[in-house]
């Protein structure tokens, strides 16, 4: 049996229950080199280390430890590093030493689509971190290093100035434009590469003014890395980058950027059908937005809170917050707004209005009369350099026309959405097309709807 809650943790060096020579034994070294964590845990049990103690050292639940002992593999790179650090294993024994290749693997494939922790636990952990940052708790503490790994060791200047920071800002703008037009899958690797170099500039000497600007620039770049990770389905990487973005934005004393990061992470949770958790992040973002004095930032958060309430079925709150978003936008100083909230223009107001009413229309088709005009305005205003957003709106517009009984036109608009979708590298596109697929399948007795449903099947199979 495992030891009780009163287990002593003495036995190894520094108070660790692991014997000092455990890591040097041949069987253990072989298991570590192969990253066979189940074998490592079994060997620790033979050394008298309980499941409870393993869980405490690695930050896992006892049920996770039990599953690993039964043979569940651990593949996610960030979890492997957390286990190594928690147990006190030299990282090199597991091939976890940081070099350029490792850094790419850390930020590029840490998810592996495997739930090393329950997703709800991860959401709560991020929410706690966000609350700490937003409410003024210290950052760069013990938690800040746990979100993502160190960058690649590309040489950075020993001393930096404003020009160096401007280069990071310019690269972020250019990469964000690529993301808007072609999707995160097209540019994420470039974002990660830029970030791995830019992050090292934190070690360079600089004036306080330059340092603060660097914090903000890197926070924005981390935010873009989080967004492109989200767009390609790498949820854990997205969460890690957004957490680092929060820390850096706070260090740079940028309330608008804190609000923007919280809005983006909330969108991640909306996408994953967790509107309650999303709403909490949006509400934290409201605190930062209001502290910044930016009506535009407040408008963004209100619109997304409305989306969360719509997903929760709260029609009154959804429509109320949409109204407030429009009021805040009308008062906003668009010319002097911070760069990272300027994306929210009149077209986005229509897009969010249409999106919220589309969610409500799936339960109450009466909302199509509000959704269709708003979405039509958004579609007509989006240019091809905003292809992903235009695709989202075309899909929603087609869905509303099908709900409204205008099947021929709905199928035609849905076909346009697919035309755009086929040229964009974004996992989110597939998810945002699902409601259209559902409504098209329901109307297979209509030839145009059936053709659209068949084309959607081919799209998902590709």
């Amino acid at each position: 049996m495992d030891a009780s809650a009163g287990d002593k943790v003495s036995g190894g060096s520094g108070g660790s229950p692991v014997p000092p020579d455990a890591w040097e034994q041949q069987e253990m070294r072989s298991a570590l080199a192969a990253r066979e964590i189940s074998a490592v845990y079994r060997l620790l049990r033979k050394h008298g280390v309980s499941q409870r103690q393993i869980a405490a050292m690695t930050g896992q639940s006892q049920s996770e430890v039990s599953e690993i002992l039964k043979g569940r593999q651990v593949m996610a790179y960030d979890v492997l590093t957390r286990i190594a650090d928690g147990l006190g294993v030299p990282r090199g024994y597991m091939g976890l030493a940081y070099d350029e290749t490792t850094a790419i693997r850390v930020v590029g494939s840490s998810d592996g689509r495997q739930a090393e922790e329950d997703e709800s636990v991860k959401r709560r952990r991020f929410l706690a971190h966000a609350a700490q940052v937003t409410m003024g708790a210290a950052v760069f503490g013990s938690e800040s290093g746990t979100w993502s790994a160190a960058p690649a060791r590309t040489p950075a200047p020993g001393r930096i100035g404003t020009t160096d920071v401007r280069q990071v800002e310019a690269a972020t703008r250019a990469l964000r434009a690529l993301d808007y037009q072609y999707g995160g899958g097209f540019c994420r690797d470039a974002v990660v590469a830029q970030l791995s170099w830019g992050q090292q500039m934190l070690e360079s000497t600089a004036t306080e003014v330059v340092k603060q600007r660097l914090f903000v620039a890197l926070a924005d770049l981390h935010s873009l890395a989080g967004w492109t990770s989200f767009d390609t389905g790498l949820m854990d990487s997205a969460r890690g980058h957004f957490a680092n973005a929060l820390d850096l934005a706070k260090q740079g004393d940028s309330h608008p950027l804190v609000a923007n990061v919280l809005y983006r992470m909330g969108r991640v949770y909306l996408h994953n059908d967790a509107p309650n958790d999303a709403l909490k992040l949006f509400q934290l973002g409201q605190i930062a937005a209001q502290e910044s004095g930016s009506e535009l930032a407040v408008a963004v958060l209100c619109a997304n809170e409305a989306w969360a309430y719509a997903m929760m079925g709260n029609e009154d709150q959804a429509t109320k917050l949409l109204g407030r978003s429009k009021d805040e936008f009308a008062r906003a100083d668009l010319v002097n707004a911070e760069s990272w909230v300027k994306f929210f223009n009149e077209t986005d107001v229509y897009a969010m209005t249409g999106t919220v009413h589309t969610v409500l229309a799936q339960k109450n088709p009466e909302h199509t009369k509000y959704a269709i005009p708003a979405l039509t305005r958004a579609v007509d205003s989006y240019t091809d350099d905003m292809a992903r957003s235009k695709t989202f709106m075309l899909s929603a517009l087609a869905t509303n026309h099908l709900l409204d009984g205008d099947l021929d036109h709905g199928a035609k608009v849905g076909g346009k959405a697919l035309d755009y979708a086929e040229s964009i590298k974004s996992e989110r596109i597939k998810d945002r097309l699902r409601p259209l697929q559902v409504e098209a399948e329901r109307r297979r007795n209509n030839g145009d709807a059936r053709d659209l449903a068949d084309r959607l099947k081919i799209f998902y199979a590709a």
Side-chain angles (χ1 to χ4, degrees):
M1 291 180 62
D2 288 333
S4 67
D7 276 339
K8 295 181 179 179
V9 294
S10 60
S13 60
S16 170
V18 183
D21 63 342
W23 309 123
E24 307 306 323
Q25 296 174 9
Q26 185 57 48
E27 191 177 3
M28 180 67 82
R29 288 294 293 272
S30 297
L32 291 170
R35 298 181 187 168
E36 292 288 347
I37 304 303
S38 58
V40 171
Y41 284 5
R42 284 195 296 271
L43 290 170
L44 288 177
R45 294 290 289 113
K46 289 182 180 180
H47 284 293
V49 184
S50 70
Q51 287 188 34
R52 187 185 300 276
Q53 290 169 320
I54 293 172
M57 288 188 289
T58 61
Q60 296 173 299
S61 66
Q62 286 193 67
S63 62
E64 286 178 293
V65 172
S66 177
E67 288 176 14
I68 291 170
L69 280 164
K70 292 174 183 176
R72 192 187 84 179
Q73 286 188 310
V74 179
M75 303 294 290
Y77 201 95
D78 55 343
V79 178
L80 288 168
T81 56
R82 176 155 51 85
I83 288 171
D85 292 345
L87 295 175
V89 179
R91 286 189 175 187
Y93 287 11
M94 294 173 65
L96 301 174
Y98 289 114
D99 54 23
E100 290 191 18
T101 302
T102 299
I104 291 171
R105 290 177 66 189
V106 169
V107 294
S109 61
S110 64
D111 298 81
R113 306 240 181 218
Q114 295 193 14
E116 297 294 350
E117 294 178 282
D118 182 82
E119 178 62 24
S120 63
V121 174
K122 294 175 183 177
R123 289 200 298 268
R124 287 196 299 271
R125 183 167 170 259
F126 184 91
L127 181 60
H129 180 76
Q132 286 181 332
V133 172
T134 308
M135 303 307 292
V139 295
F140 293 158
S142 59
E143 275 287 301
S144 64
T146 66
W147 293 101
S148 67
R153 299 183 183 277
T154 305
R159 182 172 181 81
I160 60 171
T162 303
T163 300
D164 298 291
V165 181
R166 282 177 179 164
Q167 290 173 353
V168 175
E169 294 167 344
T172 303
R173 286 194 298 271
L175 290 166
R176 182 167 278 128
L178 290 174
D179 169 60
Y180 282 142
Q181 186 166 3
Y182 300 110
F186 184 84
C187 62
R188 181 181 177 277
D189 286 348
V191 176
V192 169
Q194 180 67 34
L195 185 58
S196 68
W197 178 82
Q199 188 88 357
Q200 289 182 95
M201 293 168 68
L202 291 170
E203 303 301 321
S204 304
T205 58
T207 65
E208 283 304 310
V209 172
V210 170
K211 274 282 188 182
Q212 187 170 45
R213 184 167 174 175
L214 177 64
F215 289 142
V216 175
L218 290 178
D220 197 26
L221 188 54
H222 262 298
S223 180
L224 179 58
W227 195 247
T228 54
S229 296
F230 163 46
D231 202 45
T232 50
L234 297 171
M235 304 308 299
D236 285 345
S237 290
R239 196 182 344 254
H241 284 300
F242 284 132
N244 281 320
L246 276 181
D247 287 348
L248 286 160
K250 185 72 172 182
Q251 190 77 352
D253 197 28
S254 177
H255 293 297
L257 187 51
V258 168
N260 188 266
V261 173
L262 290 169
Y263 137 72
R264 291 185 182 278
M265 194 62 205
R267 287 286 287 268
V268 173
Y269 289 164
L270 281 187
H271 184 78
N272 284 277
D273 295 319
N276 284 288
D277 289 321
L279 182 61
K280 292 170 187 174
L281 288 174
F282 294 146
Q283 289 169 339
L284 284 173
Q286 276 289 12
I287 295 171
Q290 289 168 12
E291 287 181 355
S292 75
S294 169
E295 291 90 353
L296 191 57
V298 173
V300 171
L301 271 300
C302 285
N304 282 275
E305 286 178 73
W307 192 351
Y309 276 119
M311 289 180 66
M312 294 161 65
N314 192 329
E315 184 175 330
D316 289 341
Q317 279 294 91
T319 53
K320 177 182 176 182
L321 280 157
L322 267 183
R324 186 184 169 196
S325 177
K326 293 173 185 176
D327 291 343
E328 295 287 349
F329 179 81
R331 287 197 295 269
D333 181 359
L334 302 181
V335 175
N336 297 309
E338 299 279 356
S339 61
W340 33 82
V341 292
K342 281 188 174 180
F343 77 91
F344 196 74
N345 54 27
E346 187 177 27
T347 300
D348 284 275
V349 173
Y350 285 116
M352 287 300 297
T353 300
T355 297
V356 171
H357 284 293
T358 298
V359 174
L360 294 172
Q362 289 169 60
K363 293 184 178 179
N364 179 3
E366 284 292 312
H367 282 274
T368 59
K369 65 184 178 184
Y370 305 111
I372 290 173
L375 292 168
T376 301
R377 288 286 298 268
V379 167
D380 290 345
S381 299
Y382 277 131
T383 54
D384 286 346
D385 60 351
M386 295 290 287
R388 184 179 54 202
S389 295
K390 189 168 187 174
T391 306
F392 290 162
M393 295 306 105
L394 282 166
S395 175
L397 181 58
T399 301
N400 277 279
H401 280 301
L402 293 182
L403 287 167
D404 205 36
D406 191 354
L407 304 189
D408 295 348
H409 190 59
K412 182 179 178 181
V413 175
K416 288 182 181 178
L418 274 171
D419 290 341
Y420 276 96
E422 287 165 353
S423 65
I424 300 171
K425 294 183 178 179
S426 168
E427 287 297 310
R428 285 195 295 149
I429 290 286
K430 292 181 178 179
D431 290 323
R432 294 286 286 271
L433 285 169
R434 291 290 182 193
L436 177 60
Q437 183 185 35
V438 169
E439 298 306 328
E441 288 287 348
R442 286 176 177 169
R443 294 160 176 80
R444 274 191 164 272
N445 59 328
N446 175 273
D448 291 321
R450 183 169 58 252
D451 290 344
L452 176 61
D454 289 340
R455 190 176 167 193
L456 281 161
K457 273 189 174 181
I458 294 169
F459 174 75
Y460 283 109

